[in-house]
Amino acid sequence: MTWHPHLWHPTTQVASSPEPLQVRSARGSELELSDGRRLIDAISSWWVTLHGHAEPAIATAIARQAQQLEQVIFANFSHEPAEQLATRISALTGLERLFFSDNGSTAVEVALKIAWQWWRNQGSERRQVIAFEGAYHGDTFGAMALGERSLFTDPYEPLLFAVARVAWPHSHWGDDAVEQREQVALRQLEQALETPTAAVILEPLIQGASGMRVVRPAFLRAVAERVQAAGALLIADEVFTGFGRTGDLFACRRAGIQPDLMALSKGLTGGFLPMGATMASERLYQGFISERPEATFFHGHSFTANPLGCAAALASLDLLQANPERFQQFEVRHTPLLEDLARHPRVRRPRCVGTMAAWDVDAGEASYLNPVGKQVQRHCLQQGVYLRPLGNVVYLLPPLGISEDQLDRCYSVVKQAMDTLVPV
C-alpha cells in the first residue's frame, strides 16, 4: 500500500514513517490485513477495543438500534438508550449526572468547563487549576493546557492557560523509594492548594500517554483528602483507565476515591463508536439551575448522546457486568509472564495494573522520540504482533478476550524483539 493522496494520519510524520498497513477485517484480538497476514492487536487499537473486535453482542445492539433511532438532537429531545446509560453509569461511579460529548478530549473539556463555570456561578474567584507532571488529557486546547508541556504542545504554547504542576510519584515493582517521593509530591500539592483552587485533575492509577506511569492507591487517597480539605473540585480523567482497564470497573473505585467530575471515553462503547461522557455530582449540576440565562452550561455537540453509541455502551456494560472476572483477574494473567520478561537485561521498571503491563527499555534517554520503540515495533510486526511503544516504554494492553495462547505469543515475540536490540 502507498500513502493515500487524500488522507492525513494522526501523530504521523510521513517523511520518516513506513506506509500504513491496510486492514481488511478484525475479529477478537486479531487484525486481518489486505495481504492475508494476521496481527494480534496487543494495544487494543489505541486502548479502545475493550472486549475484542467485532464483538457480536455489541454489533447486534448497534444494528438493532440503527433500525429504530440512529440520531436525534439532544437539546430538545431525550431517548431511552441515553437514559438507561446515564442511570447505569451513575450507579457505578457515584456521580449523578451524565453530560455526553464525542471523545476523550471533549469529555475532559466538559469537565474543565463545568468546574470553572460552577465556581463562577457561585460568585467565587477561585481560578487556579492544578495538574500533575507528565499528564496527558487530550489534544483540544483546554486538554492540552492541562497536560504536560512537550513537543506536542510547543506550537500552541501562546494559546495555553497556566496550570500549577505537582510531581507524579510513579513507581514500579521493587521500588523502595516511592513513599519518600509521595511525601514530596503531597507537600507540593499542599503548597499549591494554598492558592484558592477551582479544580485538581489527575489520571487515576496510571498516566497513560506519558509512559504508563503508575501510582499507588494510597497516594491518590491522600491527594483526594487534601483536595477536599481545600474545598477544590477533583476531576478524574478515566478516559483510558475506565471500564475494567485497571482491574475494577473504574480506577477510582480501585483506588478508593470519589471525584466530583469524571471524564470517560475509549472503552465506553467497547471501542465500536466514538463517544465521550462527563459524570458530575448532583451538587455541581444544581449549581447551573437558575433563572439567570448566564448560569446555563452553554456547551453541546452535534452527536451528543448518539443512540447508536448509547446502544453500544449498554451492550458493553452488559458484557462487563456479566463477566467481571475477565478484567478482575487479568493482572494475574500478566504477572508471571511479566516476571519472566523482567529478568531480561534490557528491561527496567516493570509495572502492571489490571490489563496493562509495561516496562522501560534500557536504551539511552527516556524519551518519546527514543528510536528503540520503533525497533521493537518493527520486529513485533514481522512476527505478527502489533505494538505501539511510547518511545523507550513498551507496554501490552490487549482486549479482554485475548486467549492465553495469544497473550503468551505477545510476550514471546516481545522478548525476541528485546534480544535483537544492540547492546548499550
Side-chain angles (χ1 to χ4, degrees), residues 58-73:
I58 300 178
T60 299
I62 293 171
R64 185 185 305 116
Q65 182 62 48
Q67 295 176 348
Q68 181 172 344
L69 176 65
E70 87 298 342
Q71 170 62 17
V72 66
I73 180 175

Side-chain angles (χ1 to χ4, degrees), residues 67-240:
Q67 295 176 348
Q68 181 172 344
L69 176 65
E70 87 298 342
Q71 170 62 17
V72 66
I73 180 175
F74 207 62
N76 297 109
F77 296 98
S78 186
H79 53 77
E80 187 175 353
E83 292 171 356
Q84 288 182 6
L85 186 59
T87 298
R88 290 180 66 176
I89 297 183
S90 175
L92 295 171
T93 62
L95 296 169
E96 293 89 349
R97 297 287 174 169
L98 187 158
F99 191 98
F100 284 102
S101 59
D102 292 348
N103 55 56
S105 292
T106 56
V108 169
E109 294 278 350
V110 168
L112 176 63
K113 290 178 68 175
I114 288 175
W116 185 267
Q117 188 179 341
W118 186 80
W119 286 113
R120 180 184 175 93
N121 287 356
Q122 308 306 305
S124 171
E125 292 300 312
R126 286 178 179 255
R127 297 186 182 278
Q128 179 173 258
V129 177
I130 299 174
F132 287 82
E133 293 175 359
Y136 171 81
H137 296 290
D139 291 336
T140 51
F141 275 97
M144 275 197 298
L146 295 171
E148 179 81 8
R149 302 298 195 264
S150 67
L151 169 74
F152 303 98
T153 61
D154 281 348
Y156 318 105
E157 184 63 35
L159 302 174
L160 303 181
F161 57 81
V163 174
R165 301 279 172 195
V166 175
W168 183 256
H170 55 100
S171 62
H172 54 272
W173 288 355
D175 186 354
D176 296 327
V178 62
E179 290 187 25
Q180 181 178 355
R181 296 197 305 277
E182 288 174 349
Q183 292 306 311
V184 171
L186 291 172
R187 286 195 293 271
Q188 290 180 2
L189 177 62
E190 290 166 357
Q191 292 170 0
L193 286 169
E194 291 175 1
T195 298
T197 298
V200 177
I201 185 168
L202 53 79
E203 299 165 80
L205 292 180
I206 310 172
Q207 284 186 340
S210 66
M212 300 298 168
R213 306 196 320 161
V214 175
V215 292
R216 302 191 310 164
F219 171 73
L220 293 180
R221 290 193 292 271
V223 167
E225 290 169 2
R226 285 158 175 78
V227 173
Q228 182 178 22
L233 302 178
L234 180 62
I235 304 173
D237 177 353
E238 291 235 28
V239 169
F240 157 47

Side-chain angles (χ1 to χ4, degrees), residues 257-276:
I257 62 173
Q258 179 61 62
D260 301 285
L261 292 150
M262 181 185 291
L264 302 170
S265 188
K266 290 196 182 289
L268 172 60
T269 66
F272 271 69
L273 291 168
M275 175 172 276

Side-chain angles (χ1 to χ4, degrees), residues 350-365:
R351 58 262 192 203
C352 178
V353 177
T355 66
M356 187 285 298
W359 61 94
D360 297 1
V361 179
D362 184 8
E365 181 184 6

